[in-house]
Amino acid sequence: MDSLVIEFYRHYPHLKHNKAVESFISQGANQKLVEDFLRHPSAMKEDRLNEAFKAHYFDIRFTSYVSSSLYFHSVNFDKHIRKYSERHPLTLDNQTNEEGMSFIDLVPDPSPDISPFTNYSTLGECLENEELLKAYKTLTDKQKHILDLAYVQELSDTEIARMFGVSQQAVSKTHRKALCILKTILEKGES
């Protein structure tokens, strides 16, 4: 590759620091075209090389156009949304008094720390569906424990992995396997 690039730039020194040419030459299929042209130059090979470069350059320009177009459309969309929300504020955003408080400030914030299963220590205790409970009881102790931690204590696989001293992937695999076992048992029971 390096000798090919050196040879190419020896013949075409004016293209040496051109980013489009550098990216063109870095692609495998284009390297073969350049190498073939340099070893056995002909008008047909030069035309093929030029056509490949034109297609490559078109892709660069088209990608750049789409990228900048998306950027400007997103900026304009954001301006439009901001202008609309300033002209038509939501009721919760309206001011309630001179102190600058709004209705949204008066809405109580439900604590994210409260788990829906705070009265339970295991998933088995809060399952009401008999088939699901029977399926849960067929799991290994490790699988049950991981499901308990994930769904009752709402821990992530990474946090569970730290507790067990294993990799996150191992916990995730056990978690998925336990769910697959439950699904399989429930599907068999329904048929």
Side-chain angles (χ1 to χ4, degrees), residues 100-138:
M101 287 187 68
S102 61
F103 287 115
I104 193 77
D105 296 329
L106 302 175
V107 176
D109 182 21
S111 176
D113 298 334
I114 298 175
S115 171
F117 304 115
T118 51
N119 299 333
Y120 303 103
S121 59
T122 68
L123 191 58
E125 294 173 359
C126 56
L127 292 176
E128 295 176 3
N129 183 308
E130 287 299 318
E131 290 84 21
L132 184 56
L133 183 58
K134 285 178 188 174
Y136 172 79
K137 289 180 179 179
T138 65

Side-chain angles (χ1 to χ4, degrees), residues 48-101:
R48 198 176 315 145
L49 185 61
N50 285 335
E51 289 302 315
F53 181 75
K54 285 178 187 175
H56 176 76
Y57 190 66
F58 174 81
D59 288 345
I60 291 172
R61 292 188 60 204
F62 183 72
T63 303
S64 175
Y65 167 75
V66 169
S67 177
S68 63
S69 179
L70 285 173
Y71 171 76
F72 289 114
H73 282 292
S74 66
V75 168
N76 287 335
F77 179 78
D78 187 48
K79 286 178 185 176
H80 175 73
I81 293 298
R82 221 176 308 123
K83 182 189 270 186
Y84 182 84
S85 64
E86 287 171 0
R87 290 181 179 170
H88 309 285
L90 297 174
T91 304
L92 290 175
D93 292 331
N94 287 338
Q95 302 290 319
T96 59
N97 56 25
E98 299 83 32
E99 297 171 8
M101 287 187 68

Side-chain angles (χ1 to χ4, degrees), residues 23-41:
S23 69
F24 176 76
I25 292 177
S26 70
Q27 296 177 356
N30 297 333
Q31 287 175 8
K32 290 179 182 176
L33 287 172
V34 171
E35 185 176 1
D36 190 35
F37 172 72
L38 291 175
R39 291 182 198 260
H40 310 287

